């Protein structure tokens, strides 16, 4: 008896691709290549999350090419935590925009940036991510994530079909 892949080919073709296992972004200074940004509602507790998926382009603490993630919980947290997460997400979105567009972030820009997984407008852009250890007022250690533009980066290609200089890059 011989193996016949054609018995399984249709099922494999219809299957959902397995997700890549990703590490949390470790303490350090990193340049990330964005691979996906998606929002989801947890099946466990009903909380809303934004998940940033990327790979390490360069880092002082992580190996190049390492798949990484960072998650922001938007519901089920105290209001001060939600406010901080929303501010961090705006910093993330602004960090990939050219300087002249950073003051023009609208709800539509956020929807295009933080939605769609691998179809997000931020995919293939680079961002600098600094993760530093801090101490709370109660002297408890925590990691703070800071998003910044990549210094000296080449302009990102526009996904717009026209060349209107007044349009956002996505």
């Amino acid at each position: 008896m011989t193996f016949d892949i054609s018995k399984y080919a249709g099922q494999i073709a219809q299957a959902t691709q397995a997700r890549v296992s990703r590490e949390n972004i470790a303490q350090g200074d990193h340049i990330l290549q964005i691979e996906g940004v998606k929002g989801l509602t947890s099946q466990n507790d009903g909380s809303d999350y934004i998940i940033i998926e990327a790979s390490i382009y360069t880092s002082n603490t992580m190996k190049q090419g390492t798949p990484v993630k960072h998650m922001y919980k938007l519901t089920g947290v105290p209001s001060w935590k939600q406010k901080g997460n929303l501010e961090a997400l705006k910093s993330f979105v602004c960090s990939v925009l050219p300087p002249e567009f950073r003051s023009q972030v609208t709800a539509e820009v956020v929807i295009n940036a933080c939605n769609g997984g691998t179809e997000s407008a931020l995919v293939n852009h680079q961002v600098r991510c600094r993760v530093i250890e801090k101490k709370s007022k109660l002297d408890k250690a925590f990691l703070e994530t800071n998003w910044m533009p990549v210094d000296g980066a080449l302009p990102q290609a526009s996904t717009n079909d026209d060349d209107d200089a007044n349009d956002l890059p996505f």
Side-chain angles (χ1 to χ4, degrees), residues 70-89 142-145:
H70 191 74
M71 300 187 338
Y72 287 104
K73 189 173 183 181
L74 302 179
T75 57
V77 294
S79 60
W80 63 267
K81 180 70 171 172
Q82 182 189 46
K83 181 179 184 284
N85 287 347
L86 295 172
E87 290 169 350
L89 283 164
F142 68 96
L143 294 178
E144 179 180 271
T145 303

Side-chain angles (χ1 to χ4, degrees), residues 5-23:
I5 188 65
S6 66
K7 292 192 306 188
Y8 305 99
Q11 292 173 330
I12 293 170
Q14 296 300 315
T16 303
Q17 277 188 295
R19 305 259 331 136
V20 173
S21 293
R22 296 180 180 275
E23 297 180 28

Side-chain angles (χ1 to χ4, degrees), residues 47-134:
S47 295
D48 293 334
Y49 291 87
I50 297 286
I51 302 172
I52 299 163
E53 298 179 324
S55 62
I56 298 292
Y57 185 75
T58 61
S59 174
N60 66 346
T61 60
M62 297 184 79
K63 184 178 176 186
Q64 184 177 12
T66 301
V68 294
K69 66 183 175 190
H70 191 74
M71 300 187 338
Y72 287 104
K73 189 173 183 181
L74 302 179
T75 57
V77 294
S79 60
W80 63 267
K81 180 70 171 172
Q82 182 189 46
K83 181 179 184 284
N85 287 347
L86 295 172
E87 290 169 350
L89 283 164
K90 182 163 184 183
S91 294
F92 171 70
V93 171
C94 287
S95 67
V96 299
L97 293 173
E100 64 271 20
F101 295 117
R102 292 182 190 145
S103 64
Q104 299 177 37
V105 175
T106 64
E108 182 180 354
V109 170
V110 172
I111 289 167
N112 289 328
C114 296
N115 199 22
T118 58
E119 301 299 316
S120 162
L122 302 185
V123 169
N124 294 324
H125 286 69
Q126 290 184 343
V127 63
R128 182 176 177 199
C129 177
R130 287 184 56 232
V131 180
I132 54 178
E133 185 173 328
K134 296 270 194 144

